[in-house]
């Protein structure tokens, strides 16, 4: 079922979460052990992230270094199918532009369609770690909006290099990313919003936000979206802080601010156990206010750890 249909059918705020594919070589059992404790909160859908290739340098026998491409967390689409079969719950594979030609994108979407996956989160992806800016494949997409357009075309039966095939259209519900604190590459918040609107105009049906720790940023972002005519559901993305080091890690990785009250309390934590407790309490307070404001769904970044998300959900659902 489509994510947006779940919103339409819902009587209360929904609970959903995002997981990472296991590291290469690990089994699905570890992943299910992570998902199992969260299933009692009845997520209507689970997101699975996509991880592009990284470059590593291996030393050859002659001492020279060889640059090799490797993917540490492959398997997004297969994992989605396995979760749908095992838990009978919808999944949302993330699909990125980086590393994909248009044809590879089309093939990935055809696989998803055959596997009964109805949703996809369309993203640009970040640059590879060794590069300073995003470089698309020679025949790939520059922006998430181009990817949204390709999916929307397939939904209309328009495949690459084919005449329109009326009998064989897909019917994906497409989500996209939004940034309450602005995407770090955008020259300003207004420009970032205009590009977000373009994604919606081209066919995106809902938005999931980057994590934020100050609800005012989310409420202002939603108000600004509505003002320029973005009228699709906007899901707040929430991440509970779990370690002291995230005080500096999260701002540097995700280009966001940690409010002073939370930052000071985190600095005062004597260890990671105390930090995790603080993170849970903060996320519960954030969630309660967001639920009161009538958000359709609270979307949690579990990042491979279900403990904190479970403790938060126990207090809310
Ligand atoms: P875009 O919407 O393409 O925007 C990228 C930048 O370009 C922005 O600054 C925007 O303002 C600007 N822009 C957009 N269109 C144009 C245009 N036509 N002309 C000029 N400028 C333009 N990354 C992964 O690799 N895998 C994941 O699974 C993943 N999941 C994510 C889930 C969520 C909810 C979020 C918020 C992010 C996720 N990311 C993931 C990270 C994401 O890929 C990065 O933030 C990436 O840098 C931007 O992706 P985007 O889809 O927002 O890009």
């Amino acid at each position: 079922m489509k994510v947006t249909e779940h919103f339409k059918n819902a009587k209360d705020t929904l609970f959903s979460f995002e997981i990472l594919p296991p590291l290469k070589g690990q089994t699905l059992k570890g992943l299910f052990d992570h998902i199992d404790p969260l299933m009692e909160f009845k997520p209507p859908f689970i997101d699975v992230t996509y991880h592009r290739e990284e470059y590593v340098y291996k030393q050859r026998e002659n001492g020279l270094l060889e640059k090799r491409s490797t993917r540490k967390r492959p398997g997004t689409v297969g994992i989605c199918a396995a979760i749908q079969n095992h838990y009978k719950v919808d999944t949302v594979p993330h699909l990125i532009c980086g590393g994909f030609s248009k044809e590879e994108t089309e093939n990935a979407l055809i696989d998803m369609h055959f596997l009964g996956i109805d949703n996809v989160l369309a993203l640009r992806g970040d640059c590879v770690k060794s590069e300073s800016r995003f470089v698309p494949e020679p025949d790939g997409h520059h922006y998430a909006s181009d990817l949204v357009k390709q999916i929307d075309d397939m939904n209309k039966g328009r495949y690459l290099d084919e005449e329109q095939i009326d009998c064989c259209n897909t019917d994906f519900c497409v989500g996209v990313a939004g940034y309450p604190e602005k995407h770090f590459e955008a020259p300003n918040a207004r420009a970032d919003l205009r590009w977000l609107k373009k994604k919606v105009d081209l066919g995106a049906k809902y938005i999931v936000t980057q994590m934020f720790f100050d609800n005012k940023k989310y409420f202002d972002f939603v108000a600004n979206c509505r003002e320029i005519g973005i009228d699709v559901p906007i899901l707040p993305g929430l991440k509970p802080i779990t370690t002291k080091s995230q005080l500096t890690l999260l701002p540097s990785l995700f280009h966001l601010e940690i409010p002073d009250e939370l930052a000071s309390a985190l600095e005062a934590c004597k260890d990671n156990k105390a930090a995790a407790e603080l993170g849970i309490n903060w996320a519960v307070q954030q969630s309660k206010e967001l639920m009161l404001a009538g958000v359709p769904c609270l979307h949690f970044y579990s990042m491979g750890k279900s403990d904190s998300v479970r403790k938060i959900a126990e207090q809310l659902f």
Side-chain angles (χ1 to χ4, degrees):
M1 197 196 269
K2 292 179 183 183
V3 163
T4 46
E5 287 173 51
H6 286 295
F7 297 153
K8 268 185 213 139
N9 298 339
K11 294 191 177 66
D12 293 308
T13 310
L14 298 172
F15 161 79
S16 68
F17 60 95
E18 173 178 308
I19 56 159
L20 278 57
L23 286 167
K24 192 155 67 184
Q26 292 184 358
T27 64
L28 266 185
K29 182 178 177 310
L31 188 68
F32 289 166
D33 287 347
H34 165 64
I35 297 175
D36 283 346
L38 300 177
M39 290 313 287
E40 78 172 83
F41 307 107
K42 303 201 175 4
F45 58 90
I46 298 172
D47 277 50
V48 183
T49 56
Y50 191 93
H51 298 259
R52 69 175 301 177
E53 75 281 9
E54 291 174 29
Y55 291 106
V56 290
Y57 290 88
K58 297 261 178 200
Q59 193 155 26
R60 286 194 198 153
E61 277 180 11
N62 62 7
L64 291 176
L65 291 178
E66 182 185 304
K67 187 178 175 186
R68 284 203 204 150
S69 165
T70 178
R71 286 188 59 210
K72 291 187 177 160
R73 294 180 184 274
T76 299
V77 175
I79 289 167
C80 283
I83 292 174
Q84 291 202 166
N85 275 329
H86 186 77
Y87 294 104
K88 310 293 174 227
V89 67
D90 283 300
T91 52
V92 186
H94 292 191
L95 185 62
I96 63 172
C97 305
F100 278 83
S101 68
K102 287 177 196 151
E103 194 183 352
E104 286 163 340
T105 300
E106 184 171 281
N107 291 339
L109 288 161
I110 288 171
D111 283 348
M112 290 176 198
H113 182 56
F114 283 148
L115 289 165
I117 293 168
D118 297 329
N119 305 285
V120 57
L121 196 77
L123 301 143
R124 188 198 68 180
D126 284 320
C127 59
V128 275
K129 280 186 184 146
S130 50
E131 289 174 351
S132 58
R133 64 184 181 90
F134 178 80
V135 182
E137 290 302 293
D139 180 31
H141 296 304
H142 281 71
Y143 296 108
S145 52
D146 305 324
L147 175 56
V148 173
K149 167 91 171 59
Q150 183 176 2
I151 304 170
D152 194 62
D153 278 348
M154 283 179 70
N155 282 350
K156 291 175 176 141
R158 288 186 211 129
Y159 290 74
L160 299 169
D161 306 323
E162 300 275 354
E163 294 296 310
Q164 177 142 349
I165 319 175
D166 284 329
C167 64
C168 308
N169 59 302
T170 55
D171 191 17
F172 288 110
C173 173
V174 184
V176 289
Y179 301 84
E181 299 181 60
K182 185 181 94 59
H183 185 262
F184 69 103
E185 291 168 31
N188 58 61
R190 215 63 204 166
D192 203 26
L193 274 189
R194 279 199 299 275
W195 298 124
L196 178 58
K197 180 160 189 309
K198 184 173 179 189
K199 294 193 273 194
V200 174
D201 290 345
L202 287 169
K205 297 290 185 272
Y206 71 101
I207 295 165
V208 185
T209 75
Q210 181 58 281
M211 66 184 78
F212 57 89
F213 295 92
D214 176 357
N215 283 352
K216 185 172 182 315
K217 307 234 183 207
Y218 169 82
F219 293 132
D220 288 350
F221 174 70
V222 174
N224 292 336
C225 285
R226 301 305 181 222
E227 198 182 297
I228 64 161
I230 297 174
D231 55 5
V232 297
I234 302 177
L235 278 59
L238 296 170
K239 160 155 176 53
I241 285 190
T242 50
T243 63
K244 285 197 75 169
S245 60
Q246 287 172 352
L247 181 65
T248 48
L249 259 182
L250 296 178
S252 74
L253 284 176
F254 299 106
H255 310 276
L256 48 81
E257 281 193 17
I258 301 207
D260 201 33
E261 188 190 339
L262 177 58
S264 307
L266 195 52
E267 272 170 40
C269 286
K270 66 176 190 318
D271 53 23
N272 281 342
K273 189 166 173 273
E277 264 170 42
L278 171 70
I280 290 166
N281 291 337
W282 190 272
V284 167
Q285 294 317 314
Q286 268 195 283
S287 301
K288 283 184 175 165
E289 192 182 20
L290 291 162
M291 287 168 100
L292 271 178
V295 300
C297 180
L298 295 174
H299 186 72
F300 287 92
Y301 296 105
S302 74
M303 295 195 166
K305 296 197 179 87
S306 46
D307 272 16
S308 288
V309 176
R310 184 182 159 80
K311 284 179 185 152
I312 295 162
E314 275 170 350
Q315 297 185 53
L316 300 171
F317 297 98

